[in-house]
Amino acid sequence: MRVAVTGMGVVSAAGVGVDALLAALRRTDWMLSPSRFLKTTRQVPVGEVPYTNAELQQRYGLDPRKTYSRTSLLGIAAATEALQSANLPKGSRIAFVSSTTVGGMDLTEQFYDCFRHDPQKGRLRMVVHHDSADSTKTIAETLGLQGFATTISTACSSSANAMLLGKRLLETNWCDAVLVGGTDALCKFTLNGFASLMILDNAPCRPFDETRAGLNLGEGAAYLVMQRPEAATHAIGYLCGAANANDAHHQTATSAEGRGAQLAMRKALQAAGLQPSDIHYINAHGTGTPNNDASESAAMSAVFGESVPPFSSTKPITGHCLAAAGSIEAVITLLALQQGEMWPSLNFKQPMSGTSLRPITSLTMCPIRYAMSSSFGFGGNCSTLIFEK
Amino acid sequence: MNAYIHAIASDTSLTEDIKLLIPNPQMRRRMSVLLKQSVGAAMQCLHNAGHPAVDAIVTATAFGCLADSEQFLKNLLENDEQMLNPTPFIQSTFNTVGGQVALLCDNVSYNMTYTHRGHSFESAVLDTVTLLETGDASCVLLGAFDFKTPTLEIILKRMGWPEGYGEGAYFFLLSSNPDGALAQLHLPEFPAYLDKADLPETPVYFPTQSASSLYDLLAKGPLKKPVRLCHNYRDREPAVLLVSPTK
């Protein structure tokens, strides 16, 4: 069964809203720059949302005296737009499947800097937002969502998995509509985490390029409203296949042949009842790390053979938004279907050795019926989504 | 509904040597205590079930590998973001336990992790039961883990929480086959409120306590009559797990 996507909202380095992201996707001169708001000694390009917490709180009419994690604020922005664009009928049973990897870590970092000197110090209101559920509950409360809610955290495939569960909740009639997606704010914890793994590039990331040297971290949120097709009065597109598989190779690295990625792609095709040749465009995970891009290229070659469809990574525009990456790229993939445009992979110059695969490097007009989006995370977690116009 | 529980295990009920449960010495050495206890419980559950072909691994945790998160945070603040050891960062990820079990068993199937405070385990149950119901999986390893840390205890005390916060790792092997099962597991319920009479007599509240209650119930052997396991973490998250005898 396929489910209709009837609303979507996004906040990213491009700004607040789907229109801001669409405008950025059409630009070829987009460049990420060092953080303005996050206080860090690491002067590396990041995909930072161009608003302070105070500006976001004001924009969404939130009490300025209350403490919100940035993860919650980004989520509120994206979820508000998604629900407005879906315009669900009153009385709909709306389930909410959110995802995050950092939760309220931006606040915990401030708390812990005091706490580590004296365990009686550090404001408690800065640490109560630590857990993953906090942003989900804050978003639900702000938007008046009172139905079932849950939070998934499977690293960088988190929000793709939220979409997968949301689809199943509709298929099993657990709800009438489901708000799905993810949110993650930039914080020192993740920035330094990827730096410690030596997969953070000091220059703009170059997915699928021979000279790629790592990822640029981003922040953002994206939520989509999905309904059963017969209940939908309109549709931006359809989620027609979703699958998760595990690479079972290493806690952080992916296997050379992309075993988990291949399996996720094949299972998603099977779930959608499609052949590889039906796919017209792939929005790749394409982080720009040497390991991911080689492994993902091997997986695409294995699944699609000689005719790998046009593909690109949009992470040079958004940065890698971790839990939010899957849902942000779901929005980007749906925009490709809707607009009939394939987004260029910026900063690509030289194909990787050992493969002849080249991503699309210019904006390409082309009617697209089916498009694929993949997300891969720590713990070998691999997810693939297939969208239909 | 066709979700049947066949085997259970907890971190305090390991009958096998941890070196047999986690045979890879390098993996074992790198694991933090929490990770070893949780992965150990998962592997013990698979051992108890006779190592069936699992086609989904679903885990739940409210706080994840808290000690690892704290370690990495402490290092980065103390060292001013320089010269950091990546291991605690790697292990801080919420799906580390699920990922490590997949790695140990060379299991390439569906792997999911829920982290929704007092509804973490109930969310994992919802996923598990619907996976079995739709036929997307036929044999699922389901589990929950949360462990105290000194920092968590200090913070809870400062917040005025009662003493006696619980902890533990609990795993369950479910399949769509009822033969020889301990009990049948149903879709969880999320009522608006719970009657006080429904709640456990000795509240040792921790977010994934319902997994502990389910384990305790089934540790006595196959279920004789239907049971509703009601929990309401911090008086804010009512949820009911329903289990019944296998017909």
Side-chain angles (χ1 to χ4, degrees):
Chain A
M1 177 180 139
R2 60 177 197 170
V3 294
V5 177
T6 59
M8 56 189 193
V10 66
V11 50
S12 67
V16 171
V18 172
D19 290 344
L21 180 59
L22 180 59
L25 289 166
R26 286 174 171 157
R27 279 174 55 172
T28 50
D29 59 345
W30 190 265
M31 195 70 84
L32 298 176
S33 46
S35 64
R36 286 193 290 155
F37 310 133
L38 178 72
K39 300 276 173 285
T40 170
T41 59
R42 295 200 176 276
Q43 290 300 299
V44 293
V46 289
E48 190 171 53
V49 172
Y51 299 99
T52 63
N53 286 10
E55 285 169 338
L56 289 168
Q57 264 173 267
Q58 191 184 17
R59 188 174 178 139
Y60 293 91
L62 303 170
D63 186 346
R65 290 161 303 181
K66 259 183 93 177
T67 304
Y68 289 87
S69 71
R70 190 165 172 84
T71 303
S72 291
L73 293 172
L74 300 177
I76 288 167
T80 300
E81 186 186 18
L83 283 175
Q84 276 170 358
S85 69
N87 193 22
L88 292 168
K90 288 239 177 321
S92 301
R93 290 178 304 153
I94 309 172
F96 181 26
V97 185
S98 189
S99 61
T100 182
T101 66
V102 302
M105 187 59 90
D106 56 324
L107 298 175
T108 304
E109 284 172 359
Q110 298 173 47
F111 168 85
Y112 199 80
D113 209 13
C114 304
F115 180 91
R116 71 189 170 107
H117 297 298
D118 179 352
Q120 294 310 312
K121 293 252 167 72
R123 286 186 186 161
L124 289 174
R125 66 173 184 169
M126 305 295 275
V127 78
V128 293
H129 302 286
H130 177 79
D131 72 342
S132 305
D134 179 79
S135 56
T136 309
K137 286 173 187 285
T138 304
I139 296 164
E141 200 177 300
T142 307
L143 298 180
L145 296 169
Q146 293 170 338
F148 170 76
T150 192
T151 313
I152 286 176
S153 195
T154 56
C156 307
S157 55
S158 297
S159 56
N161 288 333
M163 299 193 63
L164 189 163
L165 180 76
K167 182 171 182 282
R168 184 154 12 100
L169 294 182
L170 288 170
E171 285 164 357
T172 54
N173 199 25
W174 178 261
C175 53
D176 300 324
V178 62
L179 179 68
V180 291
T183 178
D184 258 337
L186 279 173
C187 58
K188 287 204 280 199
F189 188 89
T190 40
L191 196 62
N192 283 284
F194 289 103
S196 74
L197 285 162
M198 307 214 263
I199 50 174
L200 194 67
D201 198 340
N202 294 325
C205 67
R206 300 171 296 287
F208 300 105
D209 190 275
E210 176 67 6
T211 67
R212 71 199 182 282
L215 57 83
N216 297 151
L217 202 57
E219 66 177 357
Y223 289 95
L224 300 96
V225 176
M226 306 197 300
Q227 294 173 265
R228 281 182 288 277
E230 65 275 15
T233 54
H234 63 282
I236 298 163
Y238 296 87
L239 174 61
C240 62
N244 174 268
N246 201 278
D247 198 41
H249 169 72
H250 184 271
Q251 186 59 26
T252 55
T254 47
S255 58
E257 75 279 20
R259 175 163 76 146
Q262 281 187 44
L263 198 54
M265 291 178 198
R266 289 202 170 102
K267 280 166 76 175
L269 284 166
Q270 194 186 2
L274 296 175
Q275 297 300 317
S277 56
D278 294 323
I279 303 296
H280 297 147
Y281 168 65
I282 299 174
N283 188 283
H285 188 54
T287 56
T289 67
N291 175 235
N292 176 82
D293 295 2
S295 166
E296 186 171 9
S297 297
M300 288 193 289
S301 295
V303 172
F304 294 94
E306 292 294 303
S307 41
V308 173
F311 70 95
S312 60
S313 165
T314 44
K315 286 191 170 70
I317 297 168
T318 60
H320 186 1
C321 300
L322 306 182
S327 55
I328 289 176
E329 285 156 29
V331 170
I332 290 172
T333 307
L334 282 157
L335 284 171
L337 294 175
Q338 191 186 45
Q339 304 293 323
E341 292 172 47
M342 298 192 286
W343 318 116
S345 217
L346 302 183
N347 310 336
F348 173 86
K349 288 196 179 70
Q350 188 186 346
M352 302 184 297
S353 55
T355 171
S356 56
L357 292 183
R358 304 177 71 103
I360 323 163
T361 52
S362 57
L363 188 65
T364 311
M365 308 288 189
C366 169
I368 307 166
R369 173 129 190 240
Y370 295 105
M372 177 182 271
S373 171
S374 290
S375 299
F376 312 125
F378 282 7
N381 210 284
C382 301
S383 296
T384 297
L385 305 171
I386 298 175
F387 295 94
E388 182 181 359
K389 191 177 160 70
Chain B
M1 291 312 126
N2 42 6
Y4 299 92
I5 304 172
H6 287 264
I8 62 171
S10 78
D11 62 296
T12 55
S13 73
L14 304 186
T15 59
E16 297 299 299
D17 186 345
I18 198 78
K19 287 177 185 159
L20 294 173
L21 293 172
I22 308 173
N24 183 327
Q26 207 187 351
M27 277 176 76
R28 206 169 54 233
R29 188 169 48 79
R30 282 193 182 156
M31 284 181 182
S32 59
V33 177
L34 170 149
L35 196 51
K36 212 181 287 180
Q37 282 168 306
S38 304
V39 173
M43 299 305 289
Q44 178 74 51
C45 186
L46 292 174
H47 175 84
N48 294 350
H51 294 282
V54 167
D55 54 11
I57 297 170
V58 184
T59 55
T61 180
F63 291 116
C65 302
L66 205 51
D68 298 288
S69 304
E70 184 177 354
Q71 186 64 50
F72 191 73
L73 185 54
K74 196 168 170 222
N75 292 352
L76 91 83
L77 292 172
E78 281 175 359
N79 300 340
D80 198 23
E81 306 184 68
Q82 301 302 317
M83 307 285 286
L84 297 168
N85 168 16
T87 303
F89 175 68
I90 294 166
Q91 298 195 349
S92 74
T93 318
F94 290 89
N95 64 329
T96 304
V97 171
Q100 292 277 304
V101 173
L103 201 49
L104 274 170
C105 304
D106 193 34
N107 187 308
V108 294
S109 64
Y110 181 92
N111 200 304
M112 204 57 64
T113 302
Y114 292 89
T115 169
H116 197 65
R117 208 170 288 170
H119 286 170
S120 303
F121 185 60
E122 283 74 5
S123 299
V125 168
L126 171 64
D127 188 356
T128 300
V129 174
T130 53
L131 274 174
L132 292 166
E133 189 186 336
T134 55
D136 286 341
S138 59
C139 185
V140 184
L141 179 66
L142 162 72
F145 59 93
D146 269 304
F147 287 89
K148 290 185 279 200
T149 67
T151 294
L152 180 64
E153 288 187 288
I154 292 168
I155 292 171
L156 291 173
K157 196 171 177 189
R158 280 180 58 188
M159 286 166 68
W161 262 63
E163 302 271 324
Y165 201 74
E167 62 177 7
Y170 306 91
F171 277 83
F172 308 87
L173 194 286
L174 289 97
S175 88
S176 47
N177 179 8
D179 296 342
L182 293 166
Q184 186 176 4
L185 184 61
H186 301 264
L187 282 172
E189 289 175 4
F190 299 93
Y193 65 92
L194 284 171
D195 199 312
K196 281 235 166 5
D198 284 337
L199 295 170
E201 281 174 24
T202 48
V204 194
Y205 285 142
F206 69 106
T208 45
Q209 188 179 342
S210 52
S212 153
S213 303
L214 182 61
Y215 174 83
D216 290 343
L217 182 71
L218 299 177
K220 297 169 197 158
L223 205 63
K224 302 284 193 303
K225 59 179 199 307
V227 174
R228 289 164 56 83
L229 292 170
C230 303
H231 292 84
N232 191 7
Y233 180 63
R234 300 186 65 183
D235 293 331
R236 284 177 204 167
E237 296 179 282
V240 183
L241 287 180
L242 297 161
V243 269
S244 62
T246 307
K247 285 182 193 81

